[in-house]
Amino acid sequence: MEFDDRFLQVQRPKFDCLLFDLDDTLYPLSAGLANECRKNIEDYMAEKLGIDRSKIGQLGNLLYKNYGTTMAGLRAIGYDFDYDEYHSFVHGRLPYDNLKPDPILRHLLLTMPYRKIIFTNADKVHAAKALKRLGLEDCFEGIICFETLNPIHKNTVSDDEDDIEFVRLDKTNNTSNNDDHDVNHTTTSTTSSVIFDIIKHFDQPNPTTSGLPKSPIVCKPSESAIEKALKIANLDPQRTMFFEDSVRNVQAGKRVGLHTVLIGTSQRVKGADYALESIHNIREALPELWEVDIKSAEVVYSGKVTVETSVTA
């Protein structure tokens, strides 16, 4: 028919959302924050929890391997501490000056016509500060972070979904006053009476992970953490692309059903649909992300990174 073209349907884009890890993904490992963060964690273990420094290296490796983060592992084996104090100690002294504005990445993000969300194991103050340093504070709809997955600083495992909120980025508020952690915490770090000896556990013949205590902290690479993040942000894994520098997080994301992009290497691994040496290579590797026609008003976010006041950090 003469006017058939008028009724051609616009093809639906393949993706609804791009989910980005933050540290060592939106900026390179060479920035040095990861190494300093590791040192700060070790100092916290020694100075605040009284762990023998000669054991920290082995202990930290076991906790990271089996629980996703050292923090989650410490809580699992019986150490009790204030979460804000931990984040303040570990992130508060990071060399944020190493992070510089990235106008190239900013342009790439703002021209991709999709929802864009940060998904990090770090706390919201660190996320907001890093994004501000990179000049990317208005490029994302929201942040799924430690507080999002672990609301109200719960120290017990909970399956209650009713108190979980998506930390949205508000155009009107500003986090400039929250860039630095409050180091004047009244809560002191303590330990429970019994600490599970994970080093001894794995020194035994044929050790298994089935007997390990469970952590109250929810974090990547747990599949349940990724599924919870998807639920919080109302995302369909089959229509979400996940950008990560961690191989195990990428593989967990793939098991959940996400499309995955490994950042920091050009060598693909099992579970990664794509592998990019740098986040800056995204357009040449995935040009189809720009080959859709969506109204810009629906996808460009302005304003500074802020968070709901109902989530404390």
Side-chain angles (χ1 to χ4, degrees):
M1 294 178 61
E2 184 178 356
F3 301 107
D4 276 353
D5 288 347
R6 294 185 181 181
F7 304 100
L8 290 177
Q9 292 185 350
V10 177
Q11 186 177 1
R12 186 185 182 191
K14 185 177 180 180
F15 303 106
D16 294 326
C17 183
L18 307 180
L19 195 61
F20 290 87
D21 177 49
L22 172 60
D23 297 303
D24 304 324
T25 296
L26 294 186
Y27 62 84
L29 180 64
S30 59
L33 270 68
N35 189 49
E36 292 301 315
C37 186
R38 179 184 58 80
K39 292 178 181 177
N40 291 344
I41 290 173
E42 292 178 351
D43 286 344
Y44 186 88
M45 293 168 70
E47 297 173 20
K48 299 296 184 178
L49 302 181
I51 299 174
D52 189 333
R53 282 195 179 271
S54 66
K55 297 180 179 180
I56 286 177
Q58 184 181 6
L59 176 60
N61 287 336
L62 287 173
L63 297 179
Y64 181 78
K65 178 181 179 181
N66 289 283
Y67 291 100
T69 67
T70 306
M71 181 185 190
L74 287 169
R75 285 290 291 115
I77 65 174
Y79 287 96
D80 189 17
F81 47 86
D82 181 76
Y83 294 164
D84 282 350
E85 180 190 52
Y86 180 93
H87 285 131
S88 176
F89 191 102
V90 169
H91 293 141
R93 299 179 294 173
L94 290 178
Y96 287 103
D97 288 345
N98 291 1
L99 301 181
K100 307 299 181 183
D102 191 339
I104 295 175
L105 179 56
R106 174 182 170 81
H107 176 75
L108 290 171
L109 291 170
L110 290 178
T111 55
M112 287 190 288
Y114 305 92
R115 295 179 67 193
K116 291 177 285 289
I117 295 171
I118 294 291
F119 180 23
T120 176
N121 280 336
D123 63 300
K124 67 176 185 180
V125 174
H126 167 72
K129 189 166 187 176
L131 288 172
K132 184 177 181 180
R133 290 283 183 173
L134 293 167
L136 306 177
E137 64 267 46
D138 58 348
C139 295
F140 299 93
E141 174 186 340
I143 301 172
I144 297 172
C145 57
F146 176 84
E147 290 90 348
T148 324
L149 295 179
N150 302 275
I152 322 177
H153 295 183
K154 289 187 175 180
N155 285 332
T156 57
V157 180
S158 171
D159 295 322
D160 183 8
E161 300 286 352
D162 294 335
D163 55 2
I164 297 176
E165 299 182 32
F166 177 40
V167 178
R168 294 193 176 275
L169 306 188
D170 189 348
K171 299 178 183 179
T172 58
N173 296 327
N174 191 292
T175 57
S176 58
N177 293 329
N178 295 321
D179 279 349
D180 295 312
H181 291 267
D182 176 12
V183 296
N184 296 317
H185 292 277
T186 56
T187 303
T188 58
S189 301
T190 59
T191 61
S192 62
S193 57
V194 178
I195 301 297
F196 179 81
D197 193 339
I198 193 171
I199 294 178
K200 181 178 179 181
H201 174 82
F202 280 101
D203 280 343
Q204 297 175 354
N206 304 314
T208 65
T209 58
S210 59
L212 294 179
K214 187 176 181 180
S215 177
I217 292 177
V218 179
C219 63
K220 296 181 288 186
S222 164
E223 291 176 33
S224 62
I226 298 175
E227 290 170 345
K228 185 172 288 188
L230 295 174
K231 182 175 181 180
I232 291 168
N234 191 27
L235 302 179
D236 176 356
Q238 298 294 333
R239 296 186 56 78
T240 302
M241 181 166 276
F242 183 38
F243 297 82
E244 256 281 359
D245 69 290
S246 165
V247 171
R248 61 180 185 169
N249 291 353
V250 161
Q251 292 173 339
K254 174 54 65 177
R255 290 193 295 271
V256 170
L258 296 166
H259 299 267
T260 56
V261 183
L262 179 63
I263 302 296
T265 177
S266 58
Q267 301 300 313
R268 279 184 58 193
V269 299
K270 182 180 179 181
D273 296 313
Y274 302 90
L276 308 182
E277 189 71 35
S278 166
I279 193 70
H280 289 157
N281 302 135
I282 187 172
R283 186 154 198 164
E284 59 186 283
L286 296 162
E288 62 269 25
L289 292 180
W290 283 264
E291 296 170 0
V292 293
D293 184 17
I294 301 178
K295 294 179 181 179
S296 60
E298 297 176 350
V299 298
V300 177
Y301 306 97
S302 60
K304 303 298 183 181
V305 169
T306 58
V307 290
E308 295 177 349
T309 55
S310 58
V311 183
T312 59

